[in-house]
């Protein structure tokens, strides 16, 4: 389940395909935290753009869905 990020400042992220996880990440570092998870697809313009789109509140939800990531708000 991908949740709206507009009130989130910290998230846990789960990669649905590889089962990787990262917990309690500030949303400001989300894209850099997951970038290594997609190393083999870095040549794909779509993947690179989606990773960058994780930085922005207005594109974060769609980017996470495209990348197969589940974002969970952390209190």
């Amino acid at each position: 389940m991908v949740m709206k990020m507009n009130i989130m400042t910290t998230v846990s992220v789960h990669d649905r395909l590889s089962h990787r996880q990262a917990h309690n990440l500030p949303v400001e570092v989300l894209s850099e935290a997951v970038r290594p998870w997609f190393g083999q697809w870095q040549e794909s313009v779509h993947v690179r753009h989606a990773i960058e789109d994780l930085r922005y509140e207005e594109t974060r939800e769609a980017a996470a869905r495209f990348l197969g990531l589940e974002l969970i708000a952390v209190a």
Side-chain angles (χ1 to χ4, degrees):
M1 171 173 79
V2 177
M3 300 180 67
K4 294 250 183 229
M5 299 287 115
N6 56 353
I7 59 171
M8 288 189 203
T9 59
T10 307
V11 296
S12 287
V13 59
H14 299 208
D15 183 336
R16 294 178 184 181
L17 299 174
S18 70
H19 304 291
R20 292 180 174 120
Q21 314 178 29
H23 299 281
N24 303 318
L25 294 171
V27 292
E28 295 83 20
V29 300
L30 178 61
S31 62
E32 293 308 314
V34 302
R35 187 177 309 280
W37 298 359
F38 299 94
Q40 65 191 26
W41 296 291
Q42 285 296 314
E43 301 224 1
S44 166
V45 171
H46 299 295
V47 170
R48 284 196 321 263
H49 283 228
I51 291 170
E52 288 304 313
D53 285 349
L54 291 172
R55 295 177 184 267
Y56 308 105
E57 180 180 330
E58 57 275 358
T59 56
R60 192 171 295 131
E61 184 177 344
R65 190 171 36 252
F66 175 81
L67 294 168
L69 301 176
E70 178 182 12
L71 302 177
I72 303 164
V74 178

